[in-house]
């Protein structure tokens, strides 16, 4: 009988790692500190809680994250199976009912006979084989133990979550349902602003009072989770070319694109909650209500959750980890999730898949096959372990880190489609070996 593997953390990466181990006949002891202790970002005791957005982003194969999702589906990912079973309409994106999704993952994990769930905080690195997927909000005691183990400074960045409002409180007389360029079904509620309304909103946003965050500096904010107020301070039109971009969203009342548009995305299957897309923030709660209520469609909005700012930490992975997320100085230890510097829900699940599958195969006397830079899951693992990366920062999956085709293809979409086809052909071969 193989040794029991300890997995620390029941987030997306930890649950995926535990599932891949158990699916290969390895016993797992999964530690989760909730409900005994919660991080500042968590609101429930369910596993795989989505603390920021409920979107897993694009589901199209011409988008790198769409490719990564399809690879994980074909490889038997728990996270993707639960996400697909609890999706809500979001045009070309895969968005989920966050409560139902987390409940599904929790139920699958707890009902697996090879997985033992242990509640309570882990304060030191466990003995034996271990996958540490404690997340970017790792508790202070475990953080100190990891820091001592790796023998170097952990890096820091800060993450922000967007507010959520009730659907019934949105003024639909001042909003309209549509998806950009008419792509897919009209799953987003669009809140248009005139030039005067945008001017008022922008000035209020850039001068609003922020909640105190110890050690926060604008330069430490990862671009993918830039607080909206920090982004707005970069220039008057920054939001209009970013999250409030109106192009391709004509107002049916005028037939023209408005000056700016805030999009709201469904946050649950019932359609009773919507989140403010791209509006991650760490403004004081009262300020959030005041500023976002200046948007006409949200003038009477009921906020069920305000945006929050919290510390995220990640390893200098190129100096520490290999392409299977194993600690080079002590390969019995693997890391997974955002702590490794992968950024995003799907990327976290992908790292958990590799860490779990590689550990299981080693215990079974086998070797994890090289995933390669020509697959999304492999390219991500190779990027975080690339020692030539000097100034390491968290990374979303993107076609730029995948192996080029080696020949020219006319058109970006066509090129990306061919890269995806090549990757999936390889995944279909690899899945027989993993």
């Amino acid at each position: 009988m193989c040794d029991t593997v300890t997995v620390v953390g029941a987030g997306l990466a930890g649950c995926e790692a535990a599932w891949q181990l158990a699916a290969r006949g390895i016993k797992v002891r999964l530690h989760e500190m909730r409900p005994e202790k919660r991080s500042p970002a968590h609101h429930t005791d369910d596993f795989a809680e989505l603390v920021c957005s409920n979107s897993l982003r694009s589901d199209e194969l011409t988008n790198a994250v769409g490719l990564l999702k399809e690879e994980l589906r074909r490889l038997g990912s728990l996270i993707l199976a639960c996400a697909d079973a609890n999706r809500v309409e979001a045009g070309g994106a895969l968005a989920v009912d966050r409560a139902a999704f987390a409940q599904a993952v929790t139920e699958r994990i707890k009902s697996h006979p090879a997985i033992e769930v242990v509640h309570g905080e882990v304060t030191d690195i466990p003995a034996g084989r271990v996958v540490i997927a404690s997340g970017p909000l790792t508790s202070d005691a475990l953080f100190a133990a990891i820091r001592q183990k790796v023998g170097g400074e952990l890096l820091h960045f800060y993450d922000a979550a967007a507010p959520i409002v009730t659907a019934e409180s949105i003024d639909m007389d001042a909003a309209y349902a549509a998806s950009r360029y008419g792509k897919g079904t009209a799953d987003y509620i669009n809140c248009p602003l005139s030039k005067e309304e945008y001017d008022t909103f922008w000035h209020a946003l850039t001068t609003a009072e922020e909640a105190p965050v110890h050690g926060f500096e604008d330069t430490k904010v990862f671009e993918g989770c830039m607080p909206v107020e920090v982004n707005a301070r970069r220039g008057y039109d920054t939001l209009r070319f970013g999250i409030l971009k109106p192009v391709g969203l004509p107002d049916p009342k005028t037939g023209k694109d408005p000056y700016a548009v805030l999009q709201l995305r469904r946050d649950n299957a019932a359609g009773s909650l919507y989140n403010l897309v791209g509006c991650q923030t760490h403004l004081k709660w009262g300020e959030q209500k005041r500023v976002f209520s200046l948007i006409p469609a949200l003038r009477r909005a009921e906020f069920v959750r305000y945006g929050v700012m919290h510390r995220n930490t990640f390893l200098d992975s190129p100096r520490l980890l290999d392409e299977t997320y194993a600690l080079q100085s002590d390969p019995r230890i693997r890391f997974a999730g955002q702590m490794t510097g992968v950024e995003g829900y799907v990327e976290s699940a992908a790292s958990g898949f590799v860490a779990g599958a590689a550990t299981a195969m080693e215990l079974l006397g086998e070797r994890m096959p090289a995933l390669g830079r020509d697959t999304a899951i492999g390219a991500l693992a190779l990027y975080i372990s690339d020692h030539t990366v000097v100034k390491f920062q968290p990374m979303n999956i993107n076609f730029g880190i995948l192996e080029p085709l080696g020949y020219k293809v006319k058109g970006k979409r066509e090129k990306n489609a061919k890269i995806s086809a090549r990757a999936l052909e390889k995944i279909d071969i690899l899945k027989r070996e993993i």
Side-chain angles (χ1 to χ4, degrees), residues 411-426:
K412 182 178 178 180
R413 286 179 63 84
E414 290 75 11
K415 181 184 73 173
N416 291 348
K418 287 187 177 296
I419 291 173
S420 292
R422 179 190 64 183
L424 294 176
E425 184 176 344
K426 182 171 182 179

Side-chain angles (χ1 to χ4, degrees), residues 12-21 72 131 133 325 334-337 340 342 346-359 377:
L12 295 165
C15 286
E16 189 66 65
W19 186 263
Q20 297 307 324
L21 283 156
L72 287 169
V131 177
Y325 298 88
R334 280 188 167 86
F335 289 88
T340 67
V342 299
V346 184
E347 290 87 342
S348 291
S351 69
F353 177 93
V354 174
T359 301
I377 192 170

Side-chain angles (χ1 to χ4, degrees), residues 54 164-167 170 265-268 270-275 304:
N54 71 318
I164 297 174
V165 300
T166 62
I170 301 166
R265 181 179 56 237
R266 186 184 299 191
D267 202 73
N268 61 354
S272 59
L273 301 175
Y274 278 79
N275 65 62
V304 296

